[in-house]
């Protein structure tokens, strides 16, 4: 559970990212013109490979501050995360589908989602207000993203200010709302004193509502000078009373919540022309939510003395009767008895008068959920005390699908494990199903499908409803040559031993439990020995394992340690070197029973071990490389000329070869790139073709290759991406694509020493991505050979052959084009006499176009050749039936349409 604000400061303060914004109106997945120009100018040999990308399953792991159900279409729901993007609910698989994986490196802040809005008039439309920080930690302004295909593709409207998906108050909302009567009208509540904003053209353009009188004045910590705690939390929610409008006419009565304890609710009764503070409203609190039960005309407020999401010491719930103007305190407990604030708030659209709320900031002994079936006159609780400390629960809880949610804890009553949660600011009853309710926590989404058991006196069942939503921030990754294929170091939930990449691990690392693991390592020739370090409320900050991470024991630590820092294990497990926060570099020859200070290396240096010589360790700080040949006791400064003196720098030694080191990092204001040393850091050579690099790792060598496969998160040939080289950096293959970018990926990357081509990629909020190459045996075109020359069989048949009596026809239409990119729609029609049971359409682009994001088909590209394969629901085409799909693409020159298409090796007619 996220106990800290996780401001990302240590990383971002050292990073300078290019802030080239997408043009308003262009599909947000399109590359901007500057990037396209840079790619054209590249002299680097870039091949292409088709990768299959998946999440390493953890299920959840971060704060879910918002869940939004569409009010007019059943089973259409969205979830937002503070740093990990947005998701759409897939009812068929009862899982979440990510919607913002296309967000690129330069716009990593757009993975923080401030608010979501689903259009009840046109359910295909969905909007997301994005931006992670309102201060200079985030280099780009916020934006409102809009989609007309449920998040399959997006267009972006950049705002003249920043938004804060990971700022204090991020659980309040929703700040973004669509007029339920005239859906071209939207409102957005802005932070930082920027007021209330409105769009009248379905989110394409925005302007400030200058008549709105109060931009807010509350900040979490006015004494904070960083721009984080002292930011004005601003306008925090917008709610329409749909009864005051009609289809096609703007809603007249609009309610707005403001971060101002004396003036927290405003109303317009003339469609947003004028605004006034509602008289008689409660004061001394912030209204986290404002939800209207339109059937009986009650506006409910959940109030807290702070903006959340983890603080809050007092709270109330109030009800406003819109017809009479009466305010009534309907709090389920007396204010004096609260030690928490209220936030989560929902009404049952099928049963007017049923309302629920959460005590979002009640960490101990558990959160509380309240329910009323008489409009707040009386309430019951999810759990009650019988005789303290014993509890009586109205629910049962089953976390077998995500077992780590018990945290491996064995608490003393009244605390239980698993808990109902904490930071429970998102709470929604399905508007079509009174039995289904979902709520977000700091670690997961919980839900139930038999909620009304609450009212009948029997227990309702709570389970995780989080499959597909991956929201961990990844700090380090390791793939040992034996044992588990992957070990992870994660923010907030420590990390895991992943024995099955496609299954949720049983438990995070324990003994000790580290809130965030900052670094881990294994002994190269004895991979059962693993060490990890990280953050903790108190000592210890280090743990050791002798069984490949299955079980752990605590180590002692030097005095003065305040945080994890970095750690390295000797190649033969004979010793360890640790560079913790709070004190200098230390070394030990045991399992941390005693530590001795290292000399010759500065405090705060990053440390790594040689992967062959057990006595050799390396360090780096501020442009100087350090080497120890005595197990970390003494270090000597080595190379410094030309290495980066600022920015984040990560380096690794190649397994099996002494002194072979790759170093990545830097900043755009100085040296930045990828360097290689073969003499233990005495000298480094910069790779000329790599413009920027941030992490480097190694994997199994390609067939016939003598050198391990390199993987980097880098900018090569003017293109940001994940790259692979099988010839020690001479040539590179970009292995991700524009639909799989995941924002910032600079913390860690590693290949798998047992599976050629497999790579594990860190993200900051989308968990661990792993990719497998179609070139699984290490042969094929990588590196360097033109992938377009592979004769193949599919789509190798020349689509330009005479279609003759073709059993298919294709129409191809460019529907939109902008500088550097375009959007196209394709329709495939079965003109034969037999049903098609699955289809794969092939064509060749004549001008080097590249497919980015696709919808309604799975599109793969190999050089100029493209194949589009049906998805599960449109594969069967009866004679005369058609299937349509589309995609966005990038341009480096012209955009001539493909001249021919083939289906299963047979040419299609075109028209």
């Amino acid at each position: 559970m996220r106990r800290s604000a996780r401001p990302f400061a240590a990383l971002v303060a050292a990073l300078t990212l290019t802030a080239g914004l997408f043009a308003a109106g262009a599909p947000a997945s399109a590359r901007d013109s500057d990037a396209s120009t840079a790619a054209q100018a590249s002299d680097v040999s870039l091949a292409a490979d088709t990768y299959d990308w998946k999440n390493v399953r953890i299920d959840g792991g971060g704060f879910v501050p918002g869940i939004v159900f569409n009010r007019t279409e059943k089973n259409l729901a969205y979830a937002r995360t503070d740093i990990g993007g947005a998701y759409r609910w897939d009812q068929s698989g009862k899982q979440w589908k990510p919607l913002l994986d296309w967000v690129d490196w330069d716009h990593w802040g757009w993975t923080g989602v401030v608010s979501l809005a689903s259009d009840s008039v046109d359910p295909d439309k969905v909007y997301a207000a994005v931006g992670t920080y309102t201060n200079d930690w985030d280099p780009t302004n916020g934006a409102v993203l809009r989609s007309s295909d449920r998040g399959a593709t997006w267009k972006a409207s950049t705002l003249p200010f920043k938004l804060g998906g990971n700022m204090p108050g991020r659980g309040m909302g929703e700040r973004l709302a669509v007029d339920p009567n005239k859906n071209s009208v939207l409102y957005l509540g802005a932070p930082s004193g920027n007021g209330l904003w409105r769009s009248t053209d379905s989110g394409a353009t925005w302007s400030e509502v200058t008549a709105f009188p109060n931009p807010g004045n509350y900040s979490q910590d006015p004494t904070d000078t960083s721009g984080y705690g002292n930011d004005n939390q601003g306008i925090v929610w917008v709610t329409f009373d749909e009864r005051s409008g009609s289809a096609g006419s703007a809603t007249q009565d609009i309610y707005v919540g403001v971060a101002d304890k004396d003036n927290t609710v405003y109303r317009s009764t003339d469609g947003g022309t004028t605004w006034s503070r509602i008289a008689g409203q409660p004061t001394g609190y912030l209204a986290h939510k404002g939800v209207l039960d339109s059937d009986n005309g009650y506006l409910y407020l959940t109030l807290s003395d702070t903006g959340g999401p983890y603080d809050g010491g007092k709270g109330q719930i109030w009800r406003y009767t819109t017809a009479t103007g009466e305010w009534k305190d309907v709090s389920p407990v007396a204010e004096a008895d609260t030690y928490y604030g209220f936030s989560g708030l929902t009404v049952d659209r099928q049963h007017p008068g049923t309302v629920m709320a959460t005590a979002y900031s009640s960490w101990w002994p558990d959160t509380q959920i309240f329910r009323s079936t008489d409009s707040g006159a009386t309430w019951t609780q999810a759990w009650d005390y019988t005789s303290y400390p014993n509890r009586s629960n109205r629910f049962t809880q089953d976390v077998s699908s995500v077992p780590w949610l018990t945290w491996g804890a064995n608490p003393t009553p009244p605390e239980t494990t698993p808990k109902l949660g904490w930071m429970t600011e998102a709470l929604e009853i399905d508007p079509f199903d009174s039995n289904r309710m979902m709520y977000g926590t700091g670690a997961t989404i919980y839900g139930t499908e038999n909620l009304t058991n609450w009212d009948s006196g029997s227990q309702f069942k709570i389970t995780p409803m989080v499959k597909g939503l991956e929201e961990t921030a990844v700090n380090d990754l390791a793939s040992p040559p034996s044992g588990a294929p992957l070990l992870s170091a994660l923010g907030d939930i420590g990390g895991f031993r992943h024995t099955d990449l496609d299954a949720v691990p049983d438990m995070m690392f324990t003994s000790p439990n580290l809130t965030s693991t900052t670094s881990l390592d294994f002994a190269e020739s004895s991979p059962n020995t693993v060490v990890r370090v990280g953050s903790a409320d108190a000592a210890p900050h280090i743990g050791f394992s002798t069984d490949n991470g299955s079980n752990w024991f605590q180590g002692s630590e030097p005095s003065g340690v305040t945080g994890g820092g970095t750690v390295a294990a000797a190649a033969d497990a004979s010793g360890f070197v640790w560079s913790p926060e709070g004190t200098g570099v230390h070394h030990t020859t045991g399992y941390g029973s005693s530590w001795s200070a290292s000399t010759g290396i500065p405090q705060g240096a990053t440390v790594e071990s040689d992967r062959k010589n057990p006595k050799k360790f390396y360090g780096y700080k501020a442009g100087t490389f350090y080497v120890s040949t005595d197990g970390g006791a003494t270090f000597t400064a080595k190379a410094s000329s030309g290495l980066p003196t600022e920015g984040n720098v990560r380096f690794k030694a190649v397994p099996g070869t002494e002194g072979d080191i790759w170093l990545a990092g830097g900043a755009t204001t100085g040296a930045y790139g990828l360097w290689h040393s073969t003499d233990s850091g005495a000298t480094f050579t910069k790779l000329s073709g790599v413009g920027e690099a941030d992490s480097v790792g190694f994997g199994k060598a390609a067939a016939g290759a003598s050198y391990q496969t390199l993987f980097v998160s880098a900018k090569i040939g003017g293109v940001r991406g994940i790259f692979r080289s099988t010839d020690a950096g001479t040539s590179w293959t970009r292995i991700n694509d524009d639909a799989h970018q995941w924002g910032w990926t600079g913390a860690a990357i590693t290949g798998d020493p047992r599976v050629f081509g497999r790579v594990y990629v860190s993200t900051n909020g989308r968990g661990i991505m792993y990719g497998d190459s179609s070139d699984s045996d290490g042969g094929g075109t990588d590196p360097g050979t033109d992938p377009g020359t592979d004769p193949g069989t599919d789509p190798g048949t020349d689509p330009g052959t005479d279609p003759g009596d073709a059993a298919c026809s294709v129409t191809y239409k460019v529907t939109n084009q902008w500088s550097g990119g375009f959007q196209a729609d394709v329709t495939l029609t079965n003109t034969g006499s037999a049903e098609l049971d699955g289809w794969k359409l092939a064509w060749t682009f004549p001008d080097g176009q590249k497919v980015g994001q696709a919808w309604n088909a799975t599109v793969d590209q190999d050089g100029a050749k493209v194949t589009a394969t049906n998805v599960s629901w449109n594969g069967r085409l009866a004679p005369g039936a058609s299937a349509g799909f589309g995609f966005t693409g990038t341009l480096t020159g012209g955009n001539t349409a493909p001249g021919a298409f083939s289906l299963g090796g047979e040419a299609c007619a075109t028209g």
Side-chain angles (χ1 to χ4, degrees):
M1 294 196 181
R2 210 163 285 177
R3 299 192 188 191
S4 65
R6 200 169 65 189
F8 199 30
L11 166 69
V12 178
L15 278 176
T16 305
L17 300 180
T18 305
L21 297 180
F22 296 122
S29 57
R31 190 180 307 285
D32 61 35
S33 57
D34 290 340
S36 298
T37 302
Q40 283 183 295
S42 171
D43 59 359
V44 178
S45 173
L46 289 177
D49 192 14
T50 302
Y51 260 64
D52 179 33
W53 293 99
K54 297 180 182 179
N55 268 110
V56 176
R57 277 194 69 187
I58 295 168
D59 284 17
F63 181 35
V64 180
I67 299 169
V68 174
F69 279 89
N70 187 277
R71 293 274 297 276
T72 56
E73 181 172 319
K74 189 175 183 180
N75 294 322
L76 180 57
Y78 297 88
R80 63 180 171 98
T81 69
D82 53 2
I83 63 171
Y87 294 80
R88 184 183 65 245
W89 179 250
D90 170 27
Q91 178 64 20
S92 62
K94 292 194 173 181
Q95 60 187 332
W96 297 94
K97 298 292 187 181
L99 302 179
L100 301 184
D101 283 358
W102 52 265
V103 173
D104 66 12
W105 178 277
D106 290 341
H107 298 83
W108 61 261
W110 289 6
T111 62
V113 184
V114 178
S115 189
L116 283 172
S118 180
D119 190 337
S120 59
V121 177
D122 182 354
D124 285 340
K125 292 183 178 180
V126 62
Y127 301 85
V130 296
T132 300
Y133 299 105
T134 59
N135 59 10
D136 59 5
W137 296 345
D138 191 333
T140 58
N141 279 355
V144 176
L145 308 179
R146 61 192 189 277
S147 173
S148 58
D149 52 16
R150 307 180 184 226
T153 60
W154 298 86
K155 295 181 180 180
S157 295
T158 308
L159 299 167
F161 50 82
K162 296 177 185 288
L163 295 176
N166 199 33
M167 295 291 289
R170 58 193 180 273
M172 295 193 281
E174 293 291 320
R175 296 174 182 257
L176 183 65
V178 183
D179 189 318
N181 289 301
K182 188 174 183 179
N183 65 334
S184 60
V185 175
L186 292 89
Y187 283 84
L188 171 67
S192 312
N194 289 305
L196 181 67
W197 288 67
R198 176 169 53 210
S199 172
T200 58
D201 55 7
S202 299
T205 60
W206 292 83
S207 59
E208 185 176 4
V209 181
T210 56
F212 194 82
N214 187 352
N217 60 18
Y218 173 82
S219 62
Q220 181 190 70
D221 180 6
T223 66
D224 178 16
T225 59
S226 71
Y228 185 75
N230 61 337
D231 185 58
N232 175 5
Q233 294 181 17
I235 312 298
V236 296
W237 53 263
V238 179
T239 295
F240 292 92
D241 187 344
E242 62 264 34
R243 301 170 303 169
S244 62
S246 58
S249 299
T251 301
Q252 297 300 294
D253 292 354
I254 311 167
Y255 298 86
V256 172
V258 180
D260 178 343
K261 291 187 177 182
D262 293 323
N263 311 279
T264 196
V265 187
Y266 287 77
R267 178 177 61 183
S268 173
T269 58
D270 54 13
T273 301
T274 61
W275 300 84
S276 60
R277 177 189 185 274
I278 303 180
Q281 66 181 263
T283 58
Y285 287 98
L286 302 174
H288 276 225
K289 301 281 195 302
V291 175
L292 182 73
D293 188 341
S294 56
D295 283 285
N296 51 34
Y298 289 141
L299 175 72
Y300 296 94
L301 304 182
T302 44
L303 300 136
S304 175
D305 57 348
T306 69
Y310 30 76
D311 51 7
K314 290 294 177 182
Q316 295 179 343
I317 300 177
W318 282 69
R319 187 186 72 199
Y320 176 69
T321 305
T322 59
T324 65
E326 178 194 22
W327 284 98
K328 184 176 182 60
D329 183 348
V330 292
S331 303
V333 295
E335 176 190 37
D337 293 333
T338 62
Y339 55 92
Y340 45 76
F342 294 98
S343 182
L345 177 64
T346 186
V347 297
D348 187 341
R349 303 293 175 183
Q350 299 294 315
H351 294 89
T354 295
V355 58
M356 295 180 68
T358 66
Y360 77 96
S361 55
S362 177
W363 165 255
W364 190 94
D366 206 344
T367 199
Q368 186 61 275
I369 304 175
F370 302 90
R371 180 174 172 89
S372 172
T373 57
D374 53 12
S375 301
T378 61
W379 298 82
T380 52
Q381 302 181 163
W383 59 270
D384 297 281
Y385 286 115
T386 51
S387 58
Y388 185 88
N390 298 313
R391 284 169 47 168
S392 172
N393 296 332
R394 297 181 185 272
F395 61 91
T396 61
Q397 195 168 5
D398 179 2
V399 297
S400 56
S401 63
V402 191
W404 59 262
L405 284 168
T406 67
W407 249 257
N410 187 26
T412 301
E415 197 171 10
T416 63
T417 189
K419 289 187 174 184
L420 274 174
W422 184 47
M423 299 167 66
T424 50
E425 298 216 63
L427 174 73
E428 292 294 330
I429 298 172
D430 185 335
F432 293 90
D433 184 354
S434 299
N435 269 310
R436 181 160 69 174
M437 177 264 286
M438 296 182 184
Y439 67 96
T441 78
T444 193
I445 295 177
Y446 280 123
T448 181
E449 293 183 328
N450 60 347
L451 177 62
T452 58
N453 282 10
W454 184 315
D455 305 322
S456 65
S458 55
Q459 290 180 308
F460 63 97
K461 182 179 181 180
I462 293 175
T463 60
M465 290 185 177
V466 74
K467 182 181 178 182
L469 192 153
E470 298 286 347
E471 203 203 345
T472 49
V474 185
N475 295 325
D476 202 2
L477 297 169
S479 183
S482 61
L486 183 66
L487 306 171
S488 62
L490 307 177
D492 295 329
I493 58 173
F496 294 89
R497 181 177 189 261
H498 304 270
T499 57
D500 183 344
L501 305 177
D502 300 317
V504 179
D506 288 338
M507 191 55 56
M508 69 275 287
F509 299 139
T510 60
S511 301
N513 287 75
L514 302 176
T515 53
S516 291
T517 301
T518 57
S519 175
L520 57 79
D521 195 17
F522 62 89
E524 187 66 41
S525 61
S526 182
N528 278 345
T529 299
V530 188
V531 60
R532 60 185 168 94
V533 295
S535 305
D537 294 335
H541 294 83
I542 187 167
F544 296 91
S545 173
T546 57
D547 57 7
N548 195 244
S550 295
N551 298 282
W552 294 84
F553 56 91
Q554 300 174 0
S556 66
E557 60 187 48
S559 61
V561 173
T562 59
T566 57
V567 70
D572 65 353
S574 59
F576 305 87
V577 173
W578 185 14
S579 178
E581 295 178 19
T583 189
V585 178
H586 284 69
H587 66 100
T588 182
T589 55
Y591 289 104
S593 57
S594 64
W595 294 89
S596 300
S598 303
T599 61
I601 187 171
Q603 181 175 330
T606 300
V607 295
E608 295 282 355
S609 63
D610 191 86
R611 309 312 284 181
K612 187 172 184 180
N613 184 340
K615 292 295 185 181
K616 190 171 285 188
F617 288 83
Y618 305 110
Y620 188 87
K621 186 177 182 181
T624 301
F625 197 82
Y626 300 86
V627 180
S628 172
T629 58
D630 57 6
T634 61
F635 283 82
T636 302
K638 295 291 185 181
S640 60
S641 177
L643 295 178
T645 58
E646 55 183 328
N648 289 277
V649 175
R650 298 165 180 83
F651 67 93
K652 288 183 180 179
V654 177
T657 304
E658 182 176 349
D660 193 339
I661 302 157
W662 291 82
L663 183 147
T668 55
T669 52
Y672 198 174
L674 183 66
W675 287 260
H676 186 207
S677 174
T678 57
D679 55 10
S680 299
T683 60
F684 278 89
T685 300
K686 189 176 189 296
L687 273 71
S688 60
V690 181
E692 301 173 4
D694 292 86
S695 57
V696 60
F698 317 108
K700 182 180 180 180
S706 59
Y707 200 81
Q708 293 208 13
T709 299
L710 292 176
F711 295 96
V712 291
S713 174
K715 188 175 187 178
I716 300 177
V719 178
R720 256 289 171 184
I722 307 300
F723 292 88
R724 182 186 78 190
S725 175
T726 58
D727 54 8
T730 301
S731 60
W732 294 94
T733 300
R734 187 187 182 200
I735 58 175
N736 71 321
D737 54 41
D738 288 352
H740 301 88
Q741 300 193 77
W742 317 294
W744 193 80
T745 56
I749 192 170
T750 185
D752 192 308
R754 289 170 273 187
V755 181
F756 170 75
R758 178 171 292 174
V759 62
Y760 305 100
V761 179
S762 69
T763 75
N764 186 59
R766 268 287 284 127
I768 308 164
M769 306 304 305
Y770 80 97
D772 280 323
S773 171
S774 60
D775 190 11
S776 58
D777 64 353
T781 62
D782 178 30
T785 351
D786 176 11
T789 61
D790 183 358
T793 57
D794 186 22
T797 307
D798 179 9
T801 57
D802 183 0
D805 296 324
C808 53
S809 67
V810 174
T811 58
Y812 177 97
K813 182 180 180 181
V814 174
T815 57
N816 194 9
Q817 186 166 322
W818 56 96
S819 177
F822 69 105
Q823 180 174 324
D825 287 341
V826 183
T827 301
L828 168 66
T829 301
N830 180 6
T831 57
S833 58
E835 181 183 74
L836 285 177
D837 187 4
W839 49 265
K840 180 180 288 188
L841 186 68
W843 69 88
T844 299
F845 275 129
D847 293 330
Q849 300 100 315
K850 297 290 184 183
V851 174
Q853 191 174 35
W855 52 95
N856 298 338
T858 300
V859 179
D860 297 312
Q861 186 165 355
D862 187 3
K865 296 182 178 181
V866 183
T867 57
T869 306
N870 65 275
V871 291
S872 60
W873 53 268
N874 66 359
R876 300 179 73 92
L877 294 180
S882 299
F885 62 94
F887 58 88
T888 57
T890 57
L891 303 170
T892 57
N895 193 21
T896 306
F901 296 81
S902 65
L903 185 69
E906 298 294 327
C908 296
T910 57

